[in-house]
Amino acid sequence: MHLTARSFLPAVFVLAVAAATGCAPQETSSSDESSASTPSSAPSGASSCDAATLATETKGKLTVGTDKPAYAPWFEDDDPANGKGFESAVAYSVAKALGFGKDQVVWQTVPFNNSFAPGEKNFDFDINQVSISDERKRAVDFSSGYYEVRQTVVALKKSPYAGAKSAADLKGAKLGAQVGTTSLDTINEVIKPTQQPAVFQKNDFAKSALRNGQVDAIVVDLPTAFYITSAEVPDAEVVGQFANSAGTAEQFGLVLDKGSALTTCVTQAVDGLREDGTLAALEKQWLSDAVDAPVLK
């Protein structure tokens, strides 16, 4: 998330991810990939997407949720409100597209797993490296995807698993990931290790376990992996990434309440940012140091 917990890589990639979180902090089932490019269906909602007519949590305000800590490269200085980091910048760009100024955006702390759990939400949308999946769509709405991501393995440089070239090479490893993330799904469904994976409430705990040798490797999204290895656990390295399953990209989406009247307008905003090049520019600005990693077979 997310799993499967940020300027990006100020030293150089916390996916991600999240979690989920994710990785991403995501976090879920293999259905993530099958539905990544399709937003949840939602009612037509308000007839206008102008800020003044939108039925937001607080009239005249846009409430955005994310977890705490808010990890780089998705956020900077654990402060979602400063506009720095990829997801903070995306959130404010969506707000602007909907007609809300920066001073009209209110941030709400929302634990990763709570963001897509069933039940009424206390935010208008949540942004926290949450991968779109059919399973999650049963409980919440999603916008269209704002970022395509791959899951990545990180190990200490001295680890015998640092030289892994395939999922098979990792089967004997003690692996870890954040609870509820697609990173954890990747361990269970792609690597299928012989040992039960270690499951952590936060990516911070997973990173500590890696640093202390309690796990052989962790799985996070690619940008988070590069940030971890460059700024947080310099004794670690990116082992490799997994190709998208069935040729369909895993995507992060904005999370909304199930049946939210805002879903259509938020999706239109994300689509517009993709079409006019804003998302690509923000990705280049904040995630540009997440260079390609070897693909694990």
Side-chain angles (χ1 to χ4, degrees):
M1 127 215 128
H2 174 118
L3 236 148
T4 341
R6 302 178 183 185
S7 128
F8 173 56
L9 301 186
V12 185
F13 124 162
V14 201
L15 189 190
V17 215
T21 301
C23 112
Q26 245 223 51
E27 347 161 127
T28 65
S29 68
S30 57
S31 58
D32 280 323
E33 289 77 11
S34 66
S35 60
S37 61
T38 307
S40 301
S41 59
S44 57
S47 59
S48 168
C49 290
D50 294 332
T53 66
L54 292 178
T56 55
E57 281 286 308
T58 302
K59 186 173 178 58
K61 302 286 185 179
L62 186 69
T63 303
V64 182
T66 199
D67 205 350
K68 185 174 182 64
Y71 298 108
W74 312 105
F75 302 92
E76 267 199 3
D77 303 322
D78 192 19
D79 181 12
N82 63 16
K84 298 178 181 180
F86 179 70
E87 289 193 327
S88 180
V90 168
Y92 281 113
S93 295
V94 171
K96 182 178 179 181
L98 293 173
F100 293 93
K102 187 172 182 179
D103 60 348
Q104 294 174 293
V105 176
V106 178
W107 288 89
Q108 178 76 37
T109 298
V110 180
F112 177 78
N113 284 341
N114 291 3
S115 66
F116 52 85
E120 187 175 353
K121 306 306 178 190
N122 60 354
F123 52 77
D124 294 311
F125 68 77
D126 183 274
I127 183 166
N128 190 23
Q129 307 110 66
V130 181
S131 295
I132 301 168
S133 75
D134 286 335
E135 180 180 340
R136 290 175 178 170
K137 284 186 189 179
R138 289 195 283 269
V140 295
D141 281 357
F142 281 96
S143 70
S144 54
Y146 61 88
Y147 180 70
E148 292 188 0
V149 66
R150 289 187 175 188
Q151 296 301 317
T152 309
V153 178
V154 175
L156 294 180
K157 295 174 183 177
K158 64 183 181 181
S159 168
Y161 296 98
K165 304 297 182 185
S166 67
D169 292 341
L170 295 163
K171 282 191 178 297
K174 180 65 175 179
L175 303 172
Q178 183 176 339
V179 65
T181 63
T182 49
S183 300
L184 182 57
D185 290 340
T186 296
I187 293 175
N188 290 326
E189 298 170 14
V190 178
I191 302 173
K192 300 178 181 178
T194 56
Q195 301 184 60
Q196 280 290 110
V199 181
F200 302 96
Q201 286 296 323
K202 299 276 188 180
N203 258 340
D204 271 351
F205 302 150
K207 289 179 284 190
S208 294
L210 176 67
R211 187 184 296 112
N212 297 332
Q214 296 168 292
V215 294
D216 296 310
I218 60 174
V219 177
V220 293
D221 57 74
L222 184 59
T224 298
F226 277 99
Y227 186 78
I228 288 172
T229 56
S230 67
E232 297 182 307
V233 190
D235 291 335
E237 64 181 29
V238 176
V239 176
Q241 62 181 314
F242 290 99
N244 294 318
S245 175
T248 302
E250 177 186 340
Q251 293 184 329
F252 293 156
L254 305 179
V255 182
L256 300 96
D257 203 357
K258 186 67 177 175
S260 172
L262 301 180
T263 301
T264 298
C265 292
V266 171
T267 292
Q268 289 175 357
V270 173
D271 290 344
L273 296 173
R274 185 185 310 105
E275 292 163 8
D276 69 12
T278 298
L279 290 180
L282 293 177
E283 186 175 332
K284 181 177 181 180
Q285 178 181 359
W286 297 106
L287 306 180
S288 60
D289 287 323
V291 297
D292 288 339
V295 176
L296 298 168
K297 304 299 184 183

